[in-house]
Amino acid sequence: MPHSIHPKLRVLILVLAYNAEKTITSVLNRIPRDMAEKYDLGILVIDDCSRDGTWQIAKKHLEDFWCPGEALRNPVNQGYGGNQKAGYRYASERNYDVVAMVHGDGQYAPECLPELLEPFTRVGEQVDAVFGSRMLNKANALKGGMPYYKFVGNIVLTALQNILLGSRLSEFHTGYRVYRVSTLDSLPLDLNTNDFHFDTEIIMQLLFSGGKIVELPIPTFYGDEVCHVNGLRYAWDVMVSTVKARLIRMGIFYDPKFYFPHTEVASTISKFSFPSTSRIVADAVRPGSVVLDLGCTDGELAEYLRREKNCTVFGTGEEREKYDLDHSLPDAPWDTLDYVLLVDVLEQRDSPEEFLQRLRARLAGNSKVTVIAGTANVGFFITRFMLLLGQFNYSRRGILALTHKRLFTIGSLERLLRYAGFRIQGKHVAAAPYPLALGLNRLSRVLLTVNVGLAKLLPGLFAYQVLLEVLHTPSVEHVLHKAER
């Protein structure tokens, strides 16, 4: 029986070039020829609108090259990241399996390509990216001529990024990389910067999407090539992007280029282990009550009320999927209810005013029911500070959640309820849910304690969320009808 023949891995060697007329021929000649025996090889040189003869030299040199090659020239400079985007799109459109990035200035040794490609040939192992790291052997980096300030900066930046992202890479800033093309196709690369910190953003996308990164040692070589990177600006951009990505993963901000919901891990921290909104609501409900939960909370609150306070709870789970609060109210024992919970409800309505009018009319026959209405406070000091800086960033949850159609301060929520015919009986303020973002540790507990104290003093500024206990007042029609009866 004949052995099955595995097709060769299709590999594109992407040479990024800018003002590299002195080195581009040498870089191409240093690509190992024996690679063509193992791989279906192609070469693409992209000249990013150089001011010298880089494109002409590369194009002529590839005409009689030992493997298929093409030289392109961007009509307008795209930047380091933009040039990569064009190369990766080229690899995708031509059905390459793997794309290996090489710099046209010769800083990264083309001779290392076979070693960097080897992990992609391992049977049964899915590798998404291989990075050639100069910092796996730090002594060699200095011997290879890496300037000391770049050496120290690389170590410091990488350490900070590893802390923020929970990763363990030896280097975030290598430009010698090999990617699986299908993995690149799954990432929103078009949203990434065109600047030099594109490399940092693609690492974070790989980490957040669950991609597997392999690091291999490479030699370091610094010659007389011209560095086009502003070091201080690059370090600033890298850290801003990293902090932003970390905050996005914590749910504080939203940016689609770092949003990968299929890899998110649900928090294992109970909302009842700290003074959260759910805990405040649960403490306000009397034991043995009949409760209608119209909120957008998960089932944890209802389960807690049933288990710990022996309450009868309606409006949860599959029941909630059957009604549309913007147009109707669910079937429930309205006349016997003790509580109606409106946590994260009003800000998600097309018209909170109309919703409250319908609710008030439905509660007309029950004078003892208490409504607990809760909403995020857009006047929270962090939101105010961000607005002062010109930022108003929506996120997947929190005060500026993407699902929020209306935003409230504490004062505007109180006015909304009063105008809708409800009388405020009690007020509770909640701190930001730091444990859900930072974990239940000493830091989050200190932040909670400080935030709770400040929220009691200045709720409009420091309350993350407000909960109002209100009673409905009878409408004029209801009073008249009762008088007539």
Side-chain angles (χ1 to χ4, degrees), residues 37-83:
E37 300 175 6
K38 188 173 183 180
Y39 303 105
D40 182 357
L41 208 62
I43 296 177
L44 173 65
V45 177
I46 300 187
D47 170 32
D48 198 17
C49 197
S50 296
R51 296 188 297 270
D52 60 14
T54 298
W55 173 67
Q56 293 88 341
I57 293 173
K59 180 176 173 55
K60 181 173 179 59
H61 192 68
L62 288 173
E63 288 177 356
D64 300 318
F65 207 61
W66 52 268
C67 78
E70 185 174 5
L72 303 179
R73 183 177 190 273
N74 294 329
V76 178
N77 184 274
Q78 299 298 303
Y80 176 69
N83 210 17

mmCIF file of all heavy atoms in Angstrom, residues 37-83:
data_model
loop_
_atom_site.group_PDB
_atom_site.id
_atom_site.type_symbol
_atom_site.label_atom_id
_atom_site.label_comp_id
_atom_site.label_asym_id
_atom_site.label_seq_id
_atom_site.Cartn_x
_atom_site.Cartn_y
_atom_site.Cartn_z
ATOM 1 N N GLU A 37 13.590 22.700 -0.581
ATOM 2 C CA GLU A 37 13.384 21.256 -0.612
ATOM 3 C C GLU A 37 12.273 20.829 0.340
ATOM 4 O O GLU A 37 11.580 19.842 0.099
ATOM 5 C CB GLU A 37 14.684 20.537 -0.238
ATOM 6 C CG GLU A 37 15.848 20.847 -1.173
ATOM 7 C CD GLU A 37 17.138 20.218 -0.688
ATOM 8 O OE1 GLU A 37 17.080 19.454 0.314
ATOM 9 O OE2 GLU A 37 18.196 20.473 -1.294
ATOM 10 N N LYS A 38 12.098 21.571 1.424
ATOM 11 C CA LYS A 38 11.130 21.194 2.453
ATOM 12 C C LYS A 38 9.822 21.954 2.346
ATOM 13 O O LYS A 38 8.760 21.459 2.734
ATOM 14 C CB LYS A 38 11.756 21.419 3.835
ATOM 15 C CG LYS A 38 10.920 20.893 4.991
ATOM 16 C CD LYS A 38 11.687 21.004 6.300
ATOM 17 C CE LYS A 38 10.878 20.415 7.451
ATOM 18 N NZ LYS A 38 11.622 20.508 8.743
ATOM 19 N N TYR A 39 9.878 23.187 1.800
ATOM 20 C CA TYR A 39 8.699 24.045 1.767
ATOM 21 C C TYR A 39 8.388 24.497 0.350
ATOM 22 O O TYR A 39 9.278 24.611 -0.500
ATOM 23 C CB TYR A 39 8.912 25.285 2.649
ATOM 24 C CG TYR A 39 9.251 24.975 4.086
ATOM 25 C CD1 TYR A 39 10.556 25.129 4.565
ATOM 26 C CD2 TYR A 39 8.276 24.518 4.972
ATOM 27 C CE1 TYR A 39 10.876 24.848 5.884
ATOM 28 C CE2 TYR A 39 8.588 24.232 6.295
ATOM 29 C CZ TYR A 39 9.890 24.391 6.740
ATOM 30 O OH TYR A 39 10.206 24.110 8.039
ATOM 31 N N ASP A 40 7.107 24.777 0.135
ATOM 32 C CA ASP A 40 6.685 25.451 -1.095
ATOM 33 C C ASP A 40 6.868 26.937 -0.826
ATOM 34 O O ASP A 40 6.036 27.590 -0.203
ATOM 35 C CB ASP A 40 5.217 25.119 -1.381
ATOM 36 C CG ASP A 40 4.731 25.738 -2.675
ATOM 37 O OD1 ASP A 40 5.501 26.470 -3.322
ATOM 38 O OD2 ASP A 40 3.547 25.523 -3.027
ATOM 39 N N LEU A 41 7.961 27.477 -1.314
ATOM 40 C CA LEU A 41 8.454 28.768 -0.852
ATOM 41 C C LEU A 41 8.115 29.890 -1.828
ATOM 42 O O LEU A 41 8.125 29.723 -3.042
ATOM 43 C CB LEU A 41 9.974 28.683 -0.673
ATOM 44 C CG LEU A 41 10.631 29.595 0.345
ATOM 45 C CD1 LEU A 41 10.106 29.300 1.749
ATOM 46 C CD2 LEU A 41 12.150 29.406 0.301
ATOM 47 N N GLY A 42 7.840 31.063 -1.269
ATOM 48 C CA GLY A 42 7.654 32.277 -2.044
ATOM 49 C C GLY A 42 8.239 33.449 -1.273
ATOM 50 O O GLY A 42 8.314 33.424 -0.044
ATOM 51 N N ILE A 43 8.671 34.478 -1.989
ATOM 52 C CA ILE A 43 9.269 35.656 -1.351
ATOM 53 C C ILE A 43 8.508 36.898 -1.802
ATOM 54 O O ILE A 43 8.194 37.057 -2.991
ATOM 55 C CB ILE A 43 10.761 35.794 -1.694
ATOM 56 C CG1 ILE A 43 11.548 34.612 -1.120
ATOM 57 C CG2 ILE A 43 11.331 37.110 -1.159
ATOM 58 C CD1 ILE A 43 13.019 34.627 -1.480
ATOM 59 N N LEU A 44 8.216 37.762 -0.857
ATOM 60 C CA LEU A 44 7.584 39.042 -1.163
ATOM 61 C C LEU A 44 8.366 40.146 -0.479
ATOM 62 O O LEU A 44 8.521 40.140 0.742
ATOM 63 C CB LEU A 44 6.132 39.076 -0.687
ATOM 64 C CG LEU A 44 5.432 40.442 -0.800
ATOM 65 C CD1 LEU A 44 5.284 40.853 -2.259
ATOM 66 C CD2 LEU A 44 4.082 40.441 -0.093
ATOM 67 N N VAL A 45 8.870 41.076 -1.270
ATOM 68 C CA VAL A 45 9.493 42.281 -0.728
ATOM 69 C C VAL A 45 8.494 43.417 -0.886
ATOM 70 O O VAL A 45 8.007 43.677 -1.988
ATOM 71 C CB VAL A 45 10.808 42.619 -1.460
ATOM 72 C CG1 VAL A 45 11.389 43.928 -0.919
ATOM 73 C CG2 VAL A 45 11.822 41.492 -1.313
ATOM 74 N N ILE A 46 8.168 44.088 0.223
ATOM 75 C CA ILE A 46 7.295 45.266 0.153
ATOM 76 C C ILE A 46 8.110 46.481 0.556
ATOM 77 O O ILE A 46 8.529 46.616 1.708
ATOM 78 C CB ILE A 46 6.065 45.142 1.066
ATOM 79 C CG1 ILE A 46 5.217 43.929 0.682
ATOM 80 C CG2 ILE A 46 5.220 46.395 0.972
ATOM 81 C CD1 ILE A 46 3.904 43.843 1.422
ATOM 82 N N ASP A 47 8.326 47.343 -0.425
ATOM 83 C CA ASP A 47 9.044 48.591 -0.173
ATOM 84 C C ASP A 47 8.021 49.650 0.236
ATOM 85 O O ASP A 47 7.089 49.961 -0.517
ATOM 86 C CB ASP A 47 9.787 49.018 -1.440
ATOM 87 C CG ASP A 47 10.361 50.412 -1.334
ATOM 88 O OD1 ASP A 47 10.726 50.801 -0.209
ATOM 89 O OD2 ASP A 47 10.416 51.118 -2.356
ATOM 90 N N ASP A 48 8.191 50.194 1.430
ATOM 91 C CA ASP A 48 7.197 51.129 1.971
ATOM 92 C C ASP A 48 7.481 52.554 1.514
ATOM 93 O O ASP A 48 7.714 53.449 2.323
ATOM 94 C CB ASP A 48 7.173 51.039 3.503
ATOM 95 C CG ASP A 48 5.899 51.629 4.090
ATOM 96 O OD1 ASP A 48 4.921 51.799 3.342
ATOM 97 O OD2 ASP A 48 5.888 51.910 5.307
ATOM 98 N N CYS A 49 7.436 52.735 0.186
ATOM 99 C CA CYS A 49 7.605 54.057 -0.428
ATOM 100 C C CYS A 49 8.938 54.689 -0.018
ATOM 101 O O CYS A 49 8.997 55.816 0.478
ATOM 102 C CB CYS A 49 6.438 54.979 -0.052
ATOM 103 S SG CYS A 49 6.263 56.448 -1.102
ATOM 104 N N SER A 50 10.006 53.917 -0.231
ATOM 105 C CA SER A 50 11.343 54.403 0.122
ATOM 106 C C SER A 50 11.741 55.598 -0.729
ATOM 107 O O SER A 50 11.228 55.802 -1.847
ATOM 108 C CB SER A 50 12.376 53.293 -0.062
ATOM 109 O OG SER A 50 12.130 52.221 0.815
ATOM 110 N N ARG A 51 12.687 56.366 -0.183
ATOM 111 C CA ARG A 51 13.199 57.523 -0.928
ATOM 112 C C ARG A 51 14.461 57.162 -1.719
ATOM 113 O O ARG A 51 15.091 58.041 -2.303
ATOM 114 C CB ARG A 51 13.511 58.657 0.042
ATOM 115 C CG ARG A 51 12.288 59.195 0.772
ATOM 116 C CD ARG A 51 12.626 60.445 1.561
ATOM 117 N NE ARG A 51 13.605 60.176 2.603
ATOM 118 C CZ ARG A 51 13.280 59.821 3.844
ATOM 119 N NH1 ARG A 51 11.997 59.691 4.172
ATOM 120 N NH2 ARG A 51 14.228 59.592 4.747
ATOM 121 N N ASP A 52 14.831 55.869 -1.683
ATOM 122 C CA ASP A 52 16.006 55.435 -2.436
ATOM 123 C C ASP A 52 15.594 54.363 -3.445
ATOM 124 O O ASP A 52 14.414 54.238 -3.801
ATOM 125 C CB ASP A 52 17.101 54.926 -1.491
ATOM 126 C CG ASP A 52 16.636 53.736 -0.638
ATOM 127 O OD1 ASP A 52 15.577 53.155 -0.958
ATOM 128 O OD2 ASP A 52 17.328 53.388 0.337
ATOM 129 N N GLY A 53 16.542 53.578 -3.908
ATOM 130 C CA GLY A 53 16.259 52.599 -4.955
ATOM 131 C C GLY A 53 15.956 51.204 -4.442
ATOM 132 O O GLY A 53 16.188 50.220 -5.166
ATOM 133 N N THR A 54 15.423 51.077 -3.246
ATOM 134 C CA THR A 54 15.160 49.762 -2.657
ATOM 135 C C THR A 54 14.293 48.895 -3.561
ATOM 136 O O THR A 54 14.615 47.730 -3.824
ATOM 137 C CB THR A 54 14.473 49.922 -1.279
ATOM 138 O OG1 THR A 54 15.347 50.627 -0.402
ATOM 139 C CG2 THR A 54 14.147 48.559 -0.684
ATOM 140 N N TRP A 55 13.189 49.435 -4.043
ATOM 141 C CA TRP A 55 12.242 48.624 -4.827
ATOM 142 C C TRP A 55 12.868 48.169 -6.148
ATOM 143 O O TRP A 55 12.761 47.009 -6.539
ATOM 144 C CB TRP A 55 10.977 49.429 -5.090
ATOM 145 C CG TRP A 55 10.031 48.720 -6.017
ATOM 146 C CD1 TRP A 55 9.354 47.567 -5.759
ATOM 147 C CD2 TRP A 55 9.701 49.100 -7.346
ATOM 148 N NE1 TRP A 55 8.592 47.204 -6.843
ATOM 149 C CE2 TRP A 55 8.789 48.130 -7.843
ATOM 150 C CE3 TRP A 55 10.066 50.163 -8.175
ATOM 151 C CZ2 TRP A 55 8.260 48.216 -9.124
ATOM 152 C CZ3 TRP A 55 9.531 50.247 -9.444
ATOM 153 C CH2 TRP A 55 8.633 49.259 -9.909
ATOM 154 N N GLN A 56 13.532 49.098 -6.842
ATOM 155 C CA GLN A 56 14.126 48.748 -8.131
ATOM 156 C C GLN A 56 15.185 47.657 -7.973
ATOM 157 O O GLN A 56 15.252 46.713 -8.769
ATOM 158 C CB GLN A 56 14.754 49.996 -8.776
ATOM 159 C CG GLN A 56 13.747 51.054 -9.193
ATOM 160 C CD GLN A 56 13.432 52.039 -8.070
ATOM 161 O OE1 GLN A 56 13.687 51.735 -6.883
ATOM 162 N NE2 GLN A 56 12.886 53.192 -8.437
ATOM 163 N N ILE A 57 16.008 47.777 -6.939
ATOM 164 C CA ILE A 57 17.070 46.792 -6.714
ATOM 165 C C ILE A 57 16.463 45.423 -6.376
ATOM 166 O O ILE A 57 16.883 44.386 -6.907
ATOM 167 C CB ILE A 57 17.997 47.270 -5.583
ATOM 168 C CG1 ILE A 57 18.768 48.511 -6.040
ATOM 169 C CG2 ILE A 57 18.955 46.164 -5.160
ATOM 170 C CD1 ILE A 57 19.589 49.160 -4.933
ATOM 171 N N ALA A 58 15.472 45.408 -5.492
ATOM 172 C CA ALA A 58 14.848 44.137 -5.103
ATOM 173 C C ALA A 58 14.141 43.493 -6.289
ATOM 174 O O ALA A 58 14.232 42.272 -6.496
ATOM 175 C CB ALA A 58 13.855 44.375 -3.967
ATOM 176 N N LYS A 59 13.430 44.296 -7.060
ATOM 177 C CA LYS A 59 12.691 43.767 -8.208
ATOM 178 C C LYS A 59 13.647 43.123 -9.216
ATOM 179 O O LYS A 59 13.399 42.012 -9.698
ATOM 180 C CB LYS A 59 11.904 44.896 -8.864
ATOM 181 C CG LYS A 59 11.097 44.481 -10.073
ATOM 182 C CD LYS A 59 10.278 45.646 -10.586
ATOM 183 C CE LYS A 59 9.592 45.336 -11.899
ATOM 184 N NZ LYS A 59 8.764 44.141 -11.867
ATOM 185 N N LYS A 60 14.732 43.800 -9.516
ATOM 186 C CA LYS A 60 15.694 43.258 -10.481
ATOM 187 C C LYS A 60 16.361 41.988 -9.942
ATOM 188 O O LYS A 60 16.552 41.017 -10.672
ATOM 189 C CB LYS A 60 16.742 44.325 -10.801
ATOM 190 C CG LYS A 60 17.788 43.870 -11.817
ATOM 191 C CD LYS A 60 18.694 45.002 -12.222
ATOM 192 C CE LYS A 60 19.751 44.533 -13.219
ATOM 193 N NZ LYS A 60 19.144 43.969 -14.445
ATOM 194 N N HIS A 61 16.687 41.994 -8.641
ATOM 195 C CA HIS A 61 17.376 40.853 -8.047
ATOM 196 C C HIS A 61 16.489 39.609 -8.023
ATOM 197 O O HIS A 61 16.994 38.486 -8.171
ATOM 198 C CB HIS A 61 17.821 41.202 -6.623
ATOM 199 C CG HIS A 61 18.778 40.220 -6.029
ATOM 200 N ND1 HIS A 61 20.066 40.057 -6.485
ATOM 201 C CD2 HIS A 61 18.633 39.312 -5.013
ATOM 202 C CE1 HIS A 61 20.675 39.123 -5.783
ATOM 203 N NE2 HIS A 61 19.830 38.644 -4.886
ATOM 204 N N LEU A 62 15.195 39.789 -7.861
ATOM 205 C CA LEU A 62 14.276 38.651 -7.782
ATOM 206 C C LEU A 62 13.926 38.073 -9.148
ATOM 207 O O LEU A 62 13.334 36.992 -9.229
ATOM 208 C CB LEU A 62 12.992 39.054 -7.050
ATOM 209 C CG LEU A 62 13.120 39.277 -5.533
ATOM 210 C CD1 LEU A 62 11.822 39.845 -4.967
ATOM 211 C CD2 LEU A 62 13.474 37.969 -4.831
ATOM 212 N N GLU A 63 14.284 38.777 -10.222
ATOM 213 C CA GLU A 63 13.932 38.288 -11.556
ATOM 214 C C GLU A 63 14.592 36.940 -11.852
ATOM 215 O O GLU A 63 13.997 36.068 -12.486
ATOM 216 C CB GLU A 63 14.346 39.321 -12.604
ATOM 217 C CG GLU A 63 13.454 40.559 -12.597
ATOM 218 C CD GLU A 63 13.921 41.598 -13.597
ATOM 219 O OE1 GLU A 63 14.989 41.382 -14.237
ATOM 220 O OE2 GLU A 63 13.233 42.632 -13.753
ATOM 221 N N ASP A 64 15.817 36.753 -11.400
ATOM 222 C CA ASP A 64 16.549 35.500 -11.648
ATOM 223 C C ASP A 64 16.856 34.780 -10.344
ATOM 224 O O ASP A 64 17.870 34.079 -10.224
ATOM 225 C CB ASP A 64 17.858 35.781 -12.405
ATOM 226 C CG ASP A 64 17.612 36.434 -13.746
ATOM 227 O OD1 ASP A 64 16.670 35.995 -14.445
ATOM 228 O OD2 ASP A 64 18.330 37.397 -14.084
ATOM 229 N N PHE A 65 15.976 34.936 -9.361
ATOM 230 C CA PHE A 65 16.228 34.345 -8.052
ATOM 231 C C PHE A 65 15.938 32.853 -8.085
ATOM 232 O O PHE A 65 15.248 32.346 -8.974
ATOM 233 C CB PHE A 65 15.363 35.048 -6.999
ATOM 234 C CG PHE A 65 15.932 35.025 -5.612
ATOM 235 C CD1 PHE A 65 17.145 35.621 -5.339
ATOM 236 C CD2 PHE A 65 15.253 34.401 -4.577
ATOM 237 C CE1 PHE A 65 17.679 35.607 -4.060
ATOM 238 C CE2 PHE A 65 15.766 34.381 -3.297
ATOM 239 C CZ PHE A 65 16.992 34.988 -3.036
ATOM 240 N N TRP A 66 16.447 32.143 -7.078
ATOM 241 C CA TRP A 66 16.338 30.688 -7.069
ATOM 242 C C TRP A 66 14.951 30.186 -6.645
ATOM 243 O O TRP A 66 14.677 28.984 -6.720
ATOM 244 C CB TRP A 66 17.405 30.080 -6.165
ATOM 245 C CG TRP A 66 17.467 30.651 -4.772
ATOM 246 C CD1 TRP A 66 18.242 31.681 -4.352
ATOM 247 C CD2 TRP A 66 16.697 30.240 -3.634
ATOM 248 N NE1 TRP A 66 18.027 31.950 -3.025
ATOM 249 C CE2 TRP A 66 17.089 31.066 -2.559
ATOM 250 C CE3 TRP A 66 15.742 29.247 -3.413
ATOM 251 C CZ2 TRP A 66 16.540 30.954 -1.291
ATOM 252 C CZ3 TRP A 66 15.204 29.124 -2.146
ATOM 253 C CH2 TRP A 66 15.593 29.967 -1.097
ATOM 254 N N CYS A 67 14.066 31.077 -6.198
ATOM 255 C CA CYS A 67 12.684 30.678 -5.899
ATOM 256 C C CYS A 67 11.765 31.818 -6.311
ATOM 257 O O CYS A 67 12.229 32.954 -6.506
ATOM 258 C CB CYS A 67 12.515 30.316 -4.424
ATOM 259 S SG CYS A 67 12.382 31.720 -3.318
ATOM 260 N N PRO A 68 10.476 31.548 -6.486
ATOM 261 C CA PRO A 68 9.559 32.602 -6.938
ATOM 262 C C PRO A 68 9.560 33.783 -5.975
ATOM 263 O O PRO A 68 9.536 33.616 -4.752
ATOM 264 C CB PRO A 68 8.190 31.903 -6.946
ATOM 265 C CG PRO A 68 8.499 30.456 -7.043
ATOM 266 C CD PRO A 68 9.794 30.253 -6.314
ATOM 267 N N GLY A 69 9.621 34.984 -6.514
ATOM 268 C CA GLY A 69 9.635 36.177 -5.683
ATOM 269 C C GLY A 69 8.998 37.347 -6.385
ATOM 270 O O GLY A 69 8.930 37.402 -7.618
ATOM 271 N N GLU A 70 8.531 38.310 -5.615
ATOM 272 C CA GLU A 70 7.884 39.496 -6.156
ATOM 273 C C GLU A 70 8.240 40.679 -5.273
ATOM 274 O O GLU A 70 8.354 40.556 -4.046
ATOM 275 C CB GLU A 70 6.363 39.306 -6.189
ATOM 276 C CG GLU A 70 5.622 40.449 -6.859
ATOM 277 C CD GLU A 70 4.129 40.170 -7.001
ATOM 278 O OE1 GLU A 70 3.671 39.128 -6.494
ATOM 279 O OE2 GLU A 70 3.421 41.001 -7.609
ATOM 280 N N ALA A 71 8.452 41.828 -5.910
ATOM 281 C CA ALA A 71 8.738 43.063 -5.176
ATOM 282 C C ALA A 71 7.629 44.065 -5.465
ATOM 283 O O ALA A 71 7.330 44.350 -6.628
ATOM 284 C CB ALA A 71 10.096 43.626 -5.575
ATOM 285 N N LEU A 72 7.033 44.592 -4.413
ATOM 286 C CA LEU A 72 5.978 45.586 -4.531
ATOM 287 C C LEU A 72 6.425 46.878 -3.860
ATOM 288 O O LEU A 72 7.269 46.867 -2.957
ATOM 289 C CB LEU A 72 4.688 45.089 -3.872
ATOM 290 C CG LEU A 72 4.116 43.762 -4.372
ATOM 291 C CD1 LEU A 72 2.849 43.410 -3.587
ATOM 292 C CD2 LEU A 72 3.814 43.820 -5.857
ATOM 293 N N ARG A 73 5.833 47.968 -4.270
ATOM 294 C CA ARG A 73 6.154 49.262 -3.669
ATOM 295 C C ARG A 73 4.861 49.982 -3.317
ATOM 296 O O ARG A 73 4.002 50.196 -4.181
ATOM 297 C CB ARG A 73 6.979 50.122 -4.627
ATOM 298 C CG ARG A 73 7.423 51.462 -4.028
ATOM 299 C CD ARG A 73 8.306 52.229 -5.014
ATOM 300 N NE ARG A 73 8.921 53.399 -4.384
ATOM 301 C CZ ARG A 73 8.356 54.596 -4.306
ATOM 302 N NH1 ARG A 73 7.143 54.788 -4.825
ATOM 303 N NH2 ARG A 73 8.984 55.598 -3.717
ATOM 304 N N ASN A 74 4.713 50.322 -2.036
ATOM 305 C CA ASN A 74 3.528 51.070 -1.628
ATOM 306 C C ASN A 74 3.570 52.470 -2.231
ATOM 307 O O ASN A 74 4.595 53.154 -2.154
ATOM 308 C CB ASN A 74 3.466 51.187 -0.101
ATOM 309 C CG ASN A 74 3.261 49.850 0.580
ATOM 310 O OD1 ASN A 74 2.629 48.959 0.029
ATOM 311 N ND2 ASN A 74 3.819 49.703 1.778
ATOM 312 N N PRO A 75 2.463 52.923 -2.823
ATOM 313 C CA PRO A 75 2.451 54.265 -3.418
ATOM 314 C C PRO A 75 2.560 55.371 -2.370
ATOM 315 O O PRO A 75 3.031 56.463 -2.661
ATOM 316 C CB PRO A 75 1.099 54.321 -4.138
ATOM 317 C CG PRO A 75 0.250 53.307 -3.445
ATOM 318 C CD PRO A 75 1.190 52.219 -3.015
ATOM 319 N N VAL A 76 2.105 55.064 -1.143
ATOM 320 C CA VAL A 76 2.180 55.996 -0.015
ATOM 321 C C VAL A 76 2.721 55.219 1.181
ATOM 322 O O VAL A 76 2.360 54.062 1.378
ATOM 323 C CB VAL A 76 0.793 56.598 0.321
ATOM 324 C CG1 VAL A 76 0.889 57.530 1.536
ATOM 325 C CG2 VAL A 76 0.223 57.348 -0.880
ATOM 326 N N ASN A 77 3.579 55.846 1.956
ATOM 327 C CA ASN A 77 4.145 55.172 3.120
ATOM 328 C C ASN A 77 3.041 54.738 4.075
ATOM 329 O O ASN A 77 2.228 55.548 4.498
ATOM 330 C CB ASN A 77 5.127 56.114 3.835
ATOM 331 C CG ASN A 77 5.824 55.434 4.997
ATOM 332 O OD1 ASN A 77 5.310 55.396 6.102
ATOM 333 N ND2 ASN A 77 7.007 54.889 4.731
ATOM 334 N N GLN A 78 3.030 53.447 4.417
ATOM 335 C CA GLN A 78 1.984 52.874 5.268
ATOM 336 C C GLN A 78 2.403 52.736 6.720
ATOM 337 O O GLN A 78 1.584 52.413 7.573
ATOM 338 C CB GLN A 78 1.580 51.495 4.740
ATOM 339 C CG GLN A 78 1.028 51.506 3.333
ATOM 340 C CD GLN A 78 -0.240 52.335 3.235
ATOM 341 O OE1 GLN A 78 -1.219 52.087 3.948
ATOM 342 N NE2 GLN A 78 -0.228 53.339 2.368
ATOM 343 N N GLY A 79 3.669 52.954 7.012
ATOM 344 C CA GLY A 79 4.153 52.735 8.360
ATOM 345 C C GLY A 79 4.494 51.270 8.571
ATOM 346 O O GLY A 79 4.110 50.382 7.799
ATOM 347 N N TYR A 80 5.215 51.018 9.651
ATOM 348 C CA TYR A 80 5.676 49.656 9.934
ATOM 349 C C TYR A 80 4.511 48.677 10.068
ATOM 350 O O TYR A 80 4.534 47.579 9.505
ATOM 351 C CB TYR A 80 6.505 49.694 11.216
ATOM 352 C CG TYR A 80 6.986 48.355 11.702
ATOM 353 C CD1 TYR A 80 7.949 47.644 11.008
ATOM 354 C CD2 TYR A 80 6.486 47.814 12.884
ATOM 355 C CE1 TYR A 80 8.404 46.419 11.471
ATOM 356 C CE2 TYR A 80 6.938 46.587 13.359
ATOM 357 C CZ TYR A 80 7.895 45.896 12.642
ATOM 358 O OH TYR A 80 8.341 44.682 13.102
ATOM 359 N N GLY A 81 3.485 49.069 10.801
ATOM 360 C CA GLY A 81 2.326 48.193 10.961
ATOM 361 C C GLY A 81 1.519 48.069 9.688
ATOM 362 O O GLY A 81 1.053 46.979 9.323
ATOM 363 N N GLY A 82 1.333 49.181 8.984
ATOM 364 C CA GLY A 82 0.575 49.133 7.740
ATOM 365 C C GLY A 82 1.231 48.277 6.693
ATOM 366 O O GLY A 82 0.557 47.586 5.912
ATOM 367 N N ASN A 83 2.564 48.279 6.656
ATOM 368 C CA ASN A 83 3.291 47.454 5.704
ATOM 369 C C ASN A 83 3.088 45.972 6.006
ATOM 370 O O ASN A 83 2.931 45.141 5.099
ATOM 371 C CB ASN A 83 4.766 47.808 5.749
ATOM 372 C CG ASN A 83 5.457 47.597 4.408
ATOM 373 O OD1 ASN A 83 4.806 47.485 3.372
ATOM 374 N ND2 ASN A 83 6.773 47.557 4.425
#
